[in-house]
Amino acid sequence: MTILSVPGSSGSLGTGSDRQVSYFSNRYVLGLTLTAGIGGLLFGYDTGVISGALLYIRDEFKAVDDSKFLQETIVSMALVGAMIGAAAGGWLNDVHGRKKATLYADSVFAVGALVMAIAPDPYFLIFGRLLVGLGVGVASVTAPVYIAEASPSEIRGGLVSTNVLMITGGQFLSYLVNLAFTEVPGTWRWMLGVSGLPAVIQFCLMLCLPESPRWLYLKNKQVEAIAVLEKIYDQDRLEEELNQLSLLSEEECHSTKSSHRYWDVFKTKEIRLAFLAGAGLQAFQQFTGINTVMYYSPTIVQMAGFRSNQLALLLSLIVAGMNASGTMVGIYLIDRFGRRRLALSSLTGVIISLGILSAAFFLETSETGSSECAAIACKTGGAGWFAIVGLALYIAFFSPGMGPVPWAVNSEIYPEAYRGVAGGMSATVCWISNLIVAQTFLSVVAAVGTAGTFLILGGVAVCAFIFVFLFVPETKGLSFDQVERLWKERAWGSASGSEALLEGGGQF
């Protein structure tokens, strides 16, 4: 059992009390977290399954096999949908609540899975990919916020990171499913169609769960909010949370209408700074290449010389397993080591591993130029395995840090009035970045080579390290109120309260 001892309280600064909070001490909170996290499972499964399904879609549809653009479109159309879903998801969260937004996402995703399973041609398949993307986009905004608003601040980072564990677990599950259906007629249809099951399961479970207590309270449904909070906190802590929510409600009641406007995020300096940090983290998470690896890992393995579809999927399964395991390490570290330090450590390893990948493919290209026999030997031996080692190291470094940190940070850095809209905008940045990477990866490889592509990603990772160092504060252990004050101090400067914030974990 994981126990954290964190100074201070959720609702006030400098109380000097020490609270011990366990991830497993409150089964109600854990149940809310795991149920909401199924949205992450949908995200992860859809990310991973297409990489294996694409191998068999190419076998069935000659037009797809002949067109790199069509292959990229099948992969990336879900990202177009996710981009739209994330943008709309912020509004859905603010207006209709986290619970209803999740139910909408599940419904659309399930329909999309059915459409993909029965697709008679590549274009019908692309439409199905658009629908599941819409569901994934809404879920990617909703799940982290729902979890964060139902979590004690001491373990908020770990519980939000559970959603990322579900993402990586979904990717691992997708590779298992890919392997399971390799010899079944209609291989890729089964791979894509079964993704609708988790959406149906989450839909049924969410019907039995409450709305976010913070959303309820700020929508003048205090009785319902208190009923939920009583299941999360003991009596002393409950009073602190209610006092904090009462003050927040008084401060923000006049801005309820403006909180629904996307442009308002840019009008206030502290919100701009928070959005810069959150959206920047989301963009760099993608541009450092994680979903290049997850979407195309079987293809990358085949580029390294392992031509069998089954072997490529098996090796990719190992990569996905490492991703899930690394995320579990991140859950353990994020509330101890801190978000900022974890991200910087992760990026250091990512830079090194991308250098190894680039070197591996450079060696493979050099030896291919020597002779055909040498190329065959290389592709089944040294350079090929060197590339696999690079992939494994990349996942080992990325998954504990840059995997969970952007989602954890974005779930906690925005004030309540902006949490839905700013979180949705940040998730949209994530999906736009994801789309750019997925839509261009194979084309960039064709233009500059695999070695050059990974070298470019390594350069982006260096930029990401500099960005995190300069713009991302530490929010470990801080309440939502403390985080809001932290940004105001960063924006306008203030000597008062700074020391208390730093003691609570708000270092830059």
Side-chain angles (χ1 to χ4, degrees):
M1 181 177 294
T2 303
I3 302 291
L4 301 181
S5 179
V6 181
S9 72
S10 173
S12 61
L13 294 173
T15 64
S17 61
D18 287 334
R19 285 194 175 91
Q20 289 190 332
V21 183
S22 165
Y23 292 132
F24 306 103
S25 60
N26 190 318
R27 294 183 180 179
Y28 184 75
V29 173
L30 190 60
L32 292 177
T33 299
L34 293 177
T35 300
I38 295 176
L41 186 73
L42 299 178
F43 180 172
Y45 185 90
D46 183 70
T47 300
V49 74
I50 193 61
S51 63
L54 187 61
L55 301 176
Y56 296 93
I57 293 169
R58 287 163 54 187
D59 290 341
E60 181 166 338
F61 298 121
K62 187 177 185 301
V64 176
D65 192 46
D66 292 341
S67 172
K68 295 290 187 189
F69 177 79
L70 203 51
Q71 292 174 41
E72 291 172 335
T73 302
I74 290 171
V75 171
S76 60
M77 188 52 63
L79 307 181
V80 174
M83 181 178 65
I84 298 169
W91 177 82
L92 282 172
N93 271 267
D94 281 342
V95 176
H96 297 289
R98 291 48 163 145
K99 179 177 178 177
K100 285 185 178 178
T102 302
L103 296 175
Y104 297 151
D106 289 333
S107 300
V108 174
F109 190 99
V111 171
L114 179 62
V115 169
M116 290 190 299
I118 63 174
D121 57 55
Y123 306 101
F124 207 72
L125 173 61
I126 289 170
F127 176 66
R129 294 284 293 161
L130 176 67
L131 291 178
V132 298
L134 288 170
V136 166
V138 175
S140 70
V141 178
T142 307
V145 171
Y146 185 84
I147 295 169
E149 292 184 342
S151 302
S153 60
E154 296 89 342
I155 56 173
R156 185 175 59 230
L159 290 178
V160 172
S161 296
T162 301
N163 182 62
V164 183
L165 177 61
M166 297 290 271
I167 294 174
T168 57
Q171 291 169 339
F172 181 76
L173 176 63
S174 72
Y175 286 116
L176 284 178
V177 171
N178 283 348
L179 279 173
F181 288 113
T182 52
E183 302 299 332
V184 176
T187 302
W188 63 268
R189 298 180 186 278
W190 286 102
M191 292 175 177
L192 299 177
V194 298
S195 64
L197 291 178
V200 173
I201 292 171
Q202 186 183 43
F203 185 95
C204 296
L205 291 175
M206 284 300 298
L207 290 175
C208 305
L209 292 181
E211 181 53 79
S212 159
R214 295 181 69 88
W215 186 87
L216 288 170
Y217 197 96
L218 294 175
K219 294 297 181 181
N220 296 317
K221 298 180 180 181
Q222 285 87 352
V223 175
E224 295 175 51
I226 292 170
V228 178
L229 290 169
E230 285 176 339
K231 299 178 181 179
I232 298 173
Y233 300 109
D234 59 28
Q235 189 60 39
D236 291 339
R237 185 66 174 274
L238 176 62
E239 291 179 5
E240 291 181 8
E241 294 295 324
L242 290 176
N243 288 336
Q244 183 181 342
L245 284 172
S246 178
L247 290 172
L248 182 64
S249 181
E250 291 176 8
E251 292 173 0
E252 297 185 349
C253 64
H254 66 279
S255 62
T256 300
K257 181 178 179 180
S258 65
S259 68
H260 297 151
R261 293 192 218 151
Y262 294 98
W263 184 247
D264 289 336
V265 170
F266 302 101
K267 290 183 177 179
T268 307
K269 186 175 181 181
E270 59 263 33
I271 307 301
R272 287 200 305 269
L273 289 174
F275 180 70
L276 171 65
L281 276 172
Q282 293 284 31
F284 279 118
Q285 183 190 62
Q286 300 306 315
F287 285 126
T288 50
I290 181 57
N291 281 319
T292 292
V293 172
M294 299 316 298
Y295 288 134
Y296 294 110
S297 56
T299 304
I300 293 170
V301 168
Q302 289 187 336
M303 287 176 181
F306 301 94
R307 298 303 180 190
S308 164
N309 284 359
Q310 286 80 4
L311 179 58
L313 290 175
L314 179 60
L315 291 172
S316 298
L317 177 65
I318 295 172
V319 171
M322 289 189 64
N323 197 18
S325 300
T327 304
M328 294 178 69
V329 174
I331 291 174
Y332 177 83
L333 292 176
I334 195 167
D335 285 312
R336 293 168 173 77
F337 201 53
R339 286 77 157 134
R340 185 171 181 268
R341 259 188 277 177
L342 193 57
L344 292 173
S345 301
S346 174
L347 285 167
T348 300
V350 164
I351 293 166
I352 294 170
S353 56
L354 286 171
I356 292 173
L357 273 168
S358 180
F361 282 101
F362 177 77
L363 289 173
E364 189 270 341
T365 303
S366 299
E367 294 185 26
T368 300
S370 302
S371 70
E372 190 64 28
C373 292
I376 295 173
C378 168
K379 291 178 180 181
T380 57
W385 285 109
F386 194 29
I388 300 302
V389 169
L391 279 175
L393 286 175
Y394 175 90
I395 292 296
F397 283 116
F398 184 97
S399 56
M402 284 302 288
V405 166
W407 296 105
V409 169
N410 273 279
S411 72
E412 62 192 6
I413 60 173
Y414 307 117
E416 182 67 36
Y418 292 89
R419 193 163 298 137
V421 65
M425 290 168 64
S426 183
T428 302
V429 170
C430 171
W431 290 111
I432 291 173
S433 305
N434 195 334
L435 173 63
I436 292 170
V437 171
Q439 187 68 37
T440 61
F441 174 71
L442 294 179
S443 298
V444 172
V445 168
V448 302
T450 311
T453 301
F454 283 116
L455 191 61
I456 291 170
L457 293 175
V460 173
V462 172
C463 296
F465 184 97
I466 296 170
F467 174 85
V468 172
F469 185 82
L470 293 177
F471 297 108
V472 179
E474 183 56 74
T475 54
K476 179 185 71 172
L478 299 184
S479 69
F480 288 121
D481 179 58
Q482 290 170 318
V483 173
E484 184 174 352
R485 289 165 58 185
L486 183 153
W487 284 114
K488 287 179 179 178
E489 291 176 10
R490 183 70 183 267
W492 308 108
S494 172
S496 61
S498 297
E499 184 177 350
L501 278 175
L502 293 176
E503 290 176 356
Q507 298 96 330
F508 285 95

